[in-house]
Amino acid sequence: MLTAALAFIPYVGAITSCVIGAFLVFLADPSKVLLCLAIYQAVQLIENQFIYPHVVGAAVDLPPLWTLIAVFIGGKLMGLLGMIFFIPLFAIAMILIRENTNRTLARREAAQCADDEPQCTDEPQDDGKNGR
């Protein structure tokens, strides 16, 4: 439950819950502390490198690589708050870039169609060579 509560804080929450969990295992059975740390780190590695980027990226329509880049840049620029807020900011930026690119391509296509209209229709052109 502690790990779930601290999971909302990227990176810092995972380390804090790992240290507290290892301490609690040490109080119960000191011989299992290394096993606890190894399992915890393996789970965190799998979650942070594979699961988190796909889930968060899919939720905000960002590829996993851009999700990791957003967290990294946000952490470098603004610390913990940057890690939290840069994923939505990157998602917004990607949407704006994608819409602008689509709009520009549509304008170019429209301008090209205005210059060369026979190629822009959806129906096949009859050039008299197909025997109809």
Side-chain angles (χ1 to χ4, degrees):
M1 186 137 141
L2 175 68
T3 302
L6 292 174
F8 289 104
I9 307 169
Y11 302 109
V12 177
I15 293 170
T16 304
S17 63
C18 179
V19 169
I20 293 171
F23 178 71
L24 293 174
V25 169
F26 177 76
L27 293 177
D29 187 1
S31 65
K32 294 185 179 179
V33 171
L34 291 178
L35 178 64
C36 171
L37 288 173
I39 291 172
Y40 197 89
Q41 292 304 316
V43 168
Q44 285 300 311
L45 176 74
I46 291 168
E47 178 187 356
N48 289 333
Q49 298 301 317
F50 302 107
I51 298 171
Y52 179 78
H54 287 287
V55 170
V56 172
V60 293
D61 197 26
L62 269 181
L65 177 64
W66 287 110
T67 304
L68 291 174
I69 290 172
V71 170
F72 177 74
I73 291 174
K76 285 292 183 184
L77 293 177
M78 297 176 57
L80 182 61
L81 285 177
M83 289 180 179
I84 295 170
F85 290 113
F86 264 63
I87 293 174
L89 290 176
F90 259 67
I92 291 169
M94 291 291 288
I95 290 169
L96 292 175
I97 290 169
R98 190 177 304 131
E99 286 181 1
N100 187 39
T101 303
N102 290 340
R103 192 174 319 122
T104 303
L105 291 174
R107 272 192 230 130
R108 284 184 187 167
E109 186 177 304
Q112 189 177 26
C113 285
D115 294 339
D116 194 17
E117 195 166 322
Q119 291 181 350
C120 295
T121 61
D122 291 339
E123 298 175 12
Q125 295 295 317
D126 185 19
D127 58 0
K129 295 179 184 177
N130 59 4
R132 288 187 204 174

